[in-house]
Structures are given as C-alpha cells and as structure tokens.
Amino acid sequence: MKRIACAVLLTLAVCTVLPAAARAGTPAEAAAALPRLEAAVAADPENLRAASAYRMAVIQAGEYDRCIAFFEKLVTDHPQAANAWLNFGFAYVDKIPAAGSITQVILANDALTRFSKSIEIRKSWLALFTRGNSYLYWPVIFGRAPLGVADLEEAVGIARREEKKRRVYARSFIALGDGYFKTEQLDKAKAVWQEGLTLFPGEPQLQARLARSGNAEELGTYINEQLDPNKRVDTDLLPLVEGE
Amino acid sequence: MKGTAWVLAAGIVLTVQPAPPAAASGERWFADVTEAAGVAVPHTNRSFENPYADIMAGYTALGAAAAVADFDGDGFEDLFVTDSAQGSRNRLFRNNGDFTFTDVAAAAGVAAGNDAANASADALWLDYDGDGRPDLFVVRFGRNQLFHNEGPDAAGNVRFREVTRQAGLDRYANSITAVAFDYDRDGRVDLFVGDYFQPVNLFKPDTPRFFPESFETANNGGGLTVWKNLGGGTFRDTTKEAGFALSGWTLDLGHADADLDGDDDLYVACDFGTDRFFVNNGDGTFRDATKEAIGIDTKKGMNAEWGDYDNDGWLDVFVTNITDEYMREGNFLWRNNGPGPDGKVTFSDVSRETGTHDTGWGWGGKFFDYDNDGWLDLYVVNGWVSAGPQSYVPDVFEMIVRPGVDLADARSWPPMGKKSLSGYQKKRLFHNQGGGLFKDEAARHGLDATRDGRGIAVADFDNDGRLDLFVANANNLPFLYRNQSPASARWAGFLLEGRDGNREAIGAVVKVTAGGRTQLRFVDGGNGFAAQSSRRLHVGLGTAERIDKLEVLWPSGRRQVLENLPAGRYVRLVEGDSK
C-alpha cells in the first residue's frame, strides 16, 4: 500500500525511476540509470525518495564526483530546497569510504556545511538528526560531540512532541545516548536509551546499548564500532521517509 | 677475540660465543643496557634558522638512525648512529666484545655530519669497492657523504677518508634513506637514495612552496636517485635510464627478489601518497608494477621491510602507515602471492588478519626471530612528536578544511610549538604465532617504551645467537636492548662472501631446511626505515639440532648447496666453496 501511496504522492517520473534504480544490479547498469534518476531529482528537488534512489545508484556506480556536481547545480538552481541541501551533504558522506583518511575529513566537513544550510532553511527532525549524528563520527579530539548532542537533543525534542511516534525517531534516541556517552555523560545516555526503549519497545539498537551499559569499556567498543568512519554509512533515506 | 672461539674447517669459518646466563621463562627477554653499554647519547632534532623555522620544526623530527657493520673485521658488530643538530657529531660505536662500546667516530674521521648546511638523516654501510672493508654512506638533508674505509693505521685503528666528490656523489638533495644492491647484475653494488623534500635548500629556502601539495597524492617531493657503481670508486646517476621518474615524498626503500628470478625488485614507501613497487626487468631497467601488484594508496608509507614471515618461500613486505584516533590508515603487511600465470607477482594486504594493522604513527619495522622458533617476529617503533599535553591535531585539521588552502606553501601550516602529535606511543613486538597471526609481546619483554622511535637495527652484538636491538629515537636517547631469552632454542648464522665486486653478497638468497621446515633469508643492503641491520643471516631452528640442507643462490647466479651443518654457530660461506 505504501508503494501505491508513493505513486500518488510523488511525481510519475520518480515512481517510474525507482524500479529502474532497483534493477540496476551492476555498476554499469547503475551508471546507465543515472541520467533518468537525475532528471527525476531535478524535477522535484525536495523529494527525498528520488534523491535517495539517485544516490544509491551513484554508490553502485562509484560516480561520487558526478553526484556532488549534480547537487551543487541543484542547490544553485533551488537555493531554498532544504532537502536538496540535505542530499547534497549526503553526497559527500557517500564518497567518504572511497577516500583517503585526510580527504575523509574534508568530505565530512563539506557534508556538515551542507547539512547546516538545510537546517538554516528548515529545521526538521531529519536534518537535525542527520547533522547531529554526523558529528558523532568525528574523533573525540575534534570536540564535535557536544555539537552533536545539541542537535540530537533538539531532534529528540521534536520526537517527544510528535503525537505519532514514528519508528525512525528511535534513531535519535540511540544517537543522543551515543552523544552523551562520547561526552562522558553515561547516566544521561542510559536514561535516554531507556526512554527510547519505552517509546519504541523491542528496538534492538537500544537494547544492545543498555545491555552493555554496565561495562563502560564494552559499551565504548560497541559504540565505536557503530560509529566507525571507515565503514560505509547507510545513507538510504527510504527507510526514514517510508515511516511517514 | 674476547672469548670468541674461531674454528677454521675446510673453507668454512665458524665462530662460537658462550651464551650468557639466560632469563628464566616468563621473565623479560630483553634488557635495556643502553647506559651500561656506553651508547646513551641522545639524538637532537635539527632546528632551522629561516623564516619558516617554527613551521618546519614540526615536520623535521627525523634523522635518528643507526647502521650496523663489523667495520674493523674483529668479528663483532659495530654501530654508526646519527645525530641531526647543527654542530653535533655522529657516532661510530666500536663493539668492545663485551657488550660495551667505544665511540671512535672522531678518530676514525666520520663524526662531522651536521653543519649549517647539512643534517644527517640515515646511514648505510656498503663495500662499494669490494675490498672487503665496509665503507660508510651518510644520508643527509643537504649533501650526502661517502667515506672510504682505509683499513687500520699503524696503530691498528681503522680510518676513513671522505670520497664523496671523487665518487661523483656530491649533489644537493634532501635525502632520507638509502639502500645498496646490484640492480644491473654487473657485479658491483649500486646505490638507491630516497629523497624526502625536493632539492630546495631547506636551510635557506628561496621559496616557501616546498611543503607537500597534498596529503594523499603529493608529487612535489624528492623521489629517488639511482647511482650506478661504475667501478673504480665512481658512480653515475642512471635514474632515468633505469626506469625511474618519481617525485613522491620517499621515506624508505626496500629491495628484495620478490619473484625469485635472480634480480632484486624495489618497494618505495612514500609519505603523502602512494607507495610504488618496481619489478626488475633483468636488463638494468625497472617496470612500475604498482597498480597490478599492490594498487594505488593514499597513505603515509614510512617503512619497507622484506621477510618471509609465513615461511611459504616468498618474501613479503611490511609497511608502516599512520593509525590513530584521527587517521585510521592501518599498516600494510603485503603477503607475496608469488607470480601468477602471467608471471607477474602480486601482494595481498593481510595486516588486519595478522594483527599487525595498528602500530600508531609507525616508523621502523623489522622482521627478526627473537626467540629462535623458526618464525620471523616483527618489532615496530612509532610516535611522531611527544611534547606538551596539548594536541596539534585540531590545528592541522583546521588548515586541511580551509577552502582553497595551498598546502605546498609552508606558511599555510600552523606551527606545532610545544604541542604533541601522535606522541607517547607504545612500541610493538609482534610474536609470530605460526605464520598467520602475531601477538603483541612488547610489554612482557620491556620493549613498549614511548619515546619517538625511528630506526631499528637488529644484530647479535655478543655473538650468542640471540638477536639484540638498537632503537634510534628522535630527540631522545636511544635504546640498546640485549636479548636474554632462554637459550634452549637452536639457531644458525651465516656471513656470506661473494667472489666478484659484490663481496658482501647483497641480494644473495639462502634457503635453510632443518627440522622439516624450510626458511628463506636474504642479504639486504639496508632495508627498514632509518636503520641498517646486520648483514649476517640469522635463522632460528627451534628444536632442530642440525641443518639438513642449505641452499645459497648467489647474486652472480651461482647455486651452492651444503648439507648436514651444525646448529649454534656462525658460518662464513664463501661463494664457490663446495664445502
């Protein structure tokens, strides 16, 4: 039913594009699908599904610079499209695993700049969660974790206020706890994970953290594994917007 | 010979040194004897006096190096150790035979290496003229030095004479490493010199644009220079005709016969960009096989050490990179896959699987079998600058993310001041668990010091069959570690002597079969960052009482086989001697 709703809500172009992207099994096939996917995004710059599908194909094709250039033009043409800026940031994040250690830092910083622009235009749960979570991937020495906590506290605030508790909101509770842990506030971390688990019973990521919360070293190892910048971060927004 | 028994039998010279009391099992197997041995002389970094001095200070914490050779032929390994500060002296520590050393550098004529226009960075012993006496090449930011070993004077003291200019080697270059091997198989040992900065006069730079243009793809470094040994004590630059045109930030060179085709190939470890692997074509030229053999990387290669860690008969490569909280590059342990159906050799990085991935900001790394169990272990030193409690990391990353920053311009870089960068890191002693996994035993054996390590020289300084370590630390005292492991494990040692001009037999490959296992060793001409280890070949034999078979593949192409050799001795093998 959700697929049908998608067809209603989105442009025809996007819904015809999505299956094509899904079919793009090889890098060559993914590359071949890019022009059509780009056209879909250009036609609807705020469309998260279309942009996400495009980026997933880009990852498959390894065409990261093309993607960055595409979003660069898109936000130039549509400077107030908050979701376009968000996806522009994700385009940098997507390239990180393919880059050297120093370039990874530059890309992560570029992504943060774009996420900030998105928040400047429209402060949404998704944008706050995205930027806040991104800060947590930075090594502690850069002092970015407190900035992440600030964003994630706002994101959790939005989640608390929303009547409809979308499942994806659980992610902000997870991330905020991680942020508290990274800023050496273990008690607050446990509390927010516990609150999240009450709101989202059975959430495995919350359970995993709480199960380890009695052993700070074990918990730290677990969280660092989750926030390893060398592992590809799943930036597919489809699971996030599907819950809408 | 100070307690050493020499036995001459049928062309083979054996030396035997009674083993000192060994540590009980479970105790530390290495004792820090730096002070007692008389080698506790600190290294001091070069400080510059130019407009960029404050910035350069953070990037030139280099020059602590050590090179081993028996320069006076008394049967004990001696040490040449560099300093870098202006006016400081390099040291030539003569081994007294009782695990003490005497600095004879000034009397021998090799102390003066650091003046207003030159700073020592590395050293290499090589017998370039095949007279049987090791000569000395001092690698410098500035002009390198070649000293000819003149042999003993009337009083019996060995003297050296600087012959750099006569040899044709007098050229400005910011050199940081050198290895020697006979690349064109003409019977003479050639010189490969790696240069870090481009040849800008670092002491009085006429441009601020001499820093790396990129952190990952920099091509404005010094590259490498090949000096072909022409005989008669002269060399000629054959870099281009040998197939090299590199401009990376070379930090180390390592040579070995990767495909066992009879000629030595070359690994080039580079800072700020990809390492390179060159295959020797066998005709005096090399082919860049980087893409097919190891791939292009963006890391900070600092060490190129070859050894057959898994005893599969192929030489593997260990390369240090930077692994820290802010930069998780990881080392390379390139397992040699051997030549494929197309004859081309390839490597696979197995550092993660073997547990050798993370050694911090790594520098020198050396394979050696410290417990004589028949498996090559690995010692790795690390740490860049250990200074004040504040970290330099945020400063440098602030520069990195600055839009449009010109990294090549030294003025873009923030001064490090009293801050630390990947400092106070513990060294790693990886015990080989049988070819597939290593276990860090540094703390157990007292080798986990936190000084900023650079070069590791491995040698058996007391001829007891157990390999000792000399560690050169930047801006600090060195370490001399005496191996006092239980003496129960068997061993054998070989000193090879070639027939032609390559008298040190550099490049010779030895296969030792004992106790049902075959181990491969080769004579290297200075592999490993900022150090040269003993050119004696050392093999741990475990419980094997004898060597069943010894096969030598000489650089000349000659093959020699010996059988049924005793363990627990150093044996001099002379090329062509059938016994």
Side-chain angles (χ1 to χ4, degrees), chain A residues 72-91:
Chain A
E72 176 102 64
K73 182 173 186 310
L74 188 70
V75 298
T76 303
D77 295 343
H78 305 275
Q80 292 305 307
N83 285 347
W85 281 101
L86 198 63
N87 274 289
F88 191 7
F90 278 123

Side-chain angles (χ1 to χ4, degrees), chain B residues 511-534:
Chain B
K511 294 178 183 177
V512 178
T513 303
R517 180 186 301 154
T518 298
Q519 298 180 59
L520 187 150
R521 298 285 186 274
F522 75 105
V523 182
D524 83 72
N527 289 350
F529 180 75
Q532 178 180 25
S533 296
S534 170

Side-chain angles (χ1 to χ4, degrees), chain A residues 99-106 109-110 138-142 144 228-230, chain B residues 215-216 298 300 322 325-329 352 391-394 397-398 400-401:
Chain A
S101 295
I102 298 291
T103 302
Q104 287 181 343
V105 175
I106 296 168
N109 200 65
D110 288 342
W138 287 73
V140 171
I141 199 165
F142 293 105
R144 305 248 168 149
D228 183 350
N230 290 312
Chain B
F215 275 92
E216 295 171 349
T298 59
K300 316 289 173 288
I322 300 175
E325 186 202 3
Y326 58 89
M327 199 191 303
R328 304 204 61 79
E329 290 185 335
R352 282 188 187 275
S391 173
Y392 179 65
V393 173
F397 276 88
E398 191 181 314
I400 288 166
V401 299

Side-chain angles (χ1 to χ4, degrees), chain B residues 98-184:
Chain B
D98 57 359
F99 231 107
T100 68
F101 295 78
T102 302
D103 178 15
V104 298
V110 293
N114 304 293
D115 54 28
N118 299 279
S120 300
D122 196 5
L124 177 73
W125 293 99
L126 77 162
D127 181 8
Y128 70 90
D129 57 354
D131 65 358
R133 291 191 290 262
D135 309 299
L136 180 64
F137 185 67
V138 181
V139 176
R140 304 198 296 183
F141 281 11
R143 294 175 182 276
N144 299 322
Q145 296 170 301
L146 180 64
F147 294 97
H148 181 256
N149 186 333
E150 304 277 284
D153 61 13
N157 298 314
V158 172
R159 304 292 181 193
F160 290 81
R161 178 172 56 93
E162 188 179 354
V163 294
T164 316
R165 193 175 295 273
Q166 300 93 302
L169 294 169
D170 187 31
R171 178 189 294 179
Y172 191 96
N174 295 306
S175 305
I176 196 159
T177 186
V179 292
F181 63 99
D182 179 10
Y183 79 93
D184 53 358

Side-chain angles (χ1 to χ4, degrees), chain B residues 444-468:
Chain B
R444 174 187 163 193
H445 293 310
L447 294 178
D448 61 341
T450 57
R451 290 175 191 163
D452 296 330
R454 295 293 179 265
I456 304 166
V458 181
D460 181 2
F461 290 112
D462 52 357
N463 293 339
D464 69 350
R466 292 174 292 193
L467 293 171
D468 312 299

